Each structure stands twice: as structure tokens, then as C-alpha cells.
Amino acid sequence: KGVIDDWYKTNMTSYTLQLEDTVFCNDRSYTTSGSALYFGAYTRLTTNKTPTLKCQNTKDKFTVDASNGNGALTYPVGLITADEIAYAGGVNRTINSSFYLYNNEIQWTFSPSDISGPYAYEFNLSDSGNLLVSVVSGGGRVARPVVSLKPGITVTGGPGTAESPFVIS
């Protein structure tokens, strides 16, 4: 979270008035089976195949303002959830390099998967374009910050690449 906040401070503070204080859901609901603990996203996406955009628990609704969530964020920025990737076309353990989130990089999500034995697992978007569960580790993954524009804000410019970015007006 520190890396994302630093990115926001450096690149986005001049746009804060144009951004919505969106709920970034870190669903920490869980079930257990034997010695394993399975978080809500694991059950929804690997077992039931039913993604959702609803955030069940107020304590998991990360926002800047406590009136619409937990008020734990400094800036209105977070990470994409595994459920959002599923709605965009990412499927658990199914390669898909033709949907708009694919970019040949391994990306962290905001969705925990499970804890089994001594390891914690997190959902990520793989470099093959599929939704995968991987051991939480420090290397080889990127964090792509997510922000939400307020209604009525327009976007112009290029396709959103570093060479031709979107322009918020």
C-alpha cells in the first residue's frame, strides 16, 4: 500500500477533486476446511464461479471517507479485485490474452485466496492472462493502481499507454 500511496502522491494529487472515493473491497470473509482457511474470493471464483461486486463487510470497504466505508485510506486509490478481473474476462486457470486487462505482466490483486500450512496465497492476473492463485512473495509482480472518476468527468487522449496516456479533463 505504501508503494501505491507514493505513486498517488507523485502522480495524482492534482486530480483528487475529479476522483470518486470508491469502495476498494478487500473481502476477508472466510471459511475453514481442515487446517486451511479459504477467503471469500476463493470460494466465489474457484468453487462456485460466481464473482460479485458487493462488499459484504463494512470493515473490508476501504475508502477515504468513513461515511461510505471504513475510512482507512489516505488517498482514493487501490488495487483491482479478483472478482473485477473475472467480470472483465479473466478466468481461474484459463489463459486469455485477448481481454483488455491482459498486458503480459503478473499483477497483484486486492483479493486474498487462502492460507494453507505456512503459506498465504493471493489472487493475481498472470502473465498469460489468467486468474491464478500464488504464494504471496515480494518479487516478480506489479501493482497497478486503480482509481475511479467522478460522474461527468471526461477522458480524452490516446489508448492509455505510457507513450499516449489518457487525459482527464
Side-chain angles (χ1 to χ4, degrees):
K1 182 65 175 115
V3 170
I4 292 171
D5 279 349
D6 288 345
W7 171 84
Y8 188 93
K9 252 190 295 191
T10 302
N11 299 289
M12 296 295 292
T13 53
S14 63
Y15 297 102
T16 299
L17 294 177
Q18 296 163 309
L19 300 178
E20 192 72 38
D21 185 16
T22 299
V23 170
F24 293 98
C25 186
N26 183 4
D27 182 5
R28 296 174 287 184
S29 64
Y30 66 90
T31 58
T32 59
S33 178
S35 62
L37 183 141
Y38 296 96
F39 290 97
Y42 182 90
T43 303
R44 284 191 306 277
L45 300 173
T46 64
T47 305
N48 299 336
K49 312 277 192 250
T50 55
T52 185
L53 297 179
K54 288 185 178 182
C55 195
Q56 297 179 33
N57 302 311
T58 301
K59 68 179 180 129
D60 295 340
K61 294 178 180 180
F62 285 80
T63 58
V64 174
D65 186 337
S67 66
N68 73 336
N70 64 15
L73 298 180
T74 305
Y75 302 107
V77 61
L79 293 176
I80 196 167
T81 66
D83 294 272
E84 291 167 326
I85 290 173
Y87 275 120
V91 179
N92 189 42
R93 297 182 182 186
T94 302
I95 293 173
N96 181 359
S97 60
S98 64
F99 76 118
Y100 77 97
L101 292 174
Y102 172 76
N103 69 354
N104 201 32
E105 292 181 313
I106 303 170
Q107 302 169 50
W108 288 110
T109 73
F110 206 34
S111 303
S113 170
D114 60 287
I115 297 174
S116 182
Y119 300 105
Y121 296 86
E122 181 83 10
F123 277 98
N124 63 67
L125 179 58
S126 80
D127 54 354
S128 301
N130 54 13
L131 193 55
L132 284 181
V133 171
S134 299
V135 172
V136 174
S137 64
R141 292 167 179 80
V142 298
R144 296 184 86 194
V146 173
V147 296
S148 295
L149 300 176
K150 286 185 176 178
I153 300 298
T154 58
V155 177
T156 60
T161 62
E163 298 77 31
S164 185
F166 296 124
V167 177
I168 298 171
S169 53

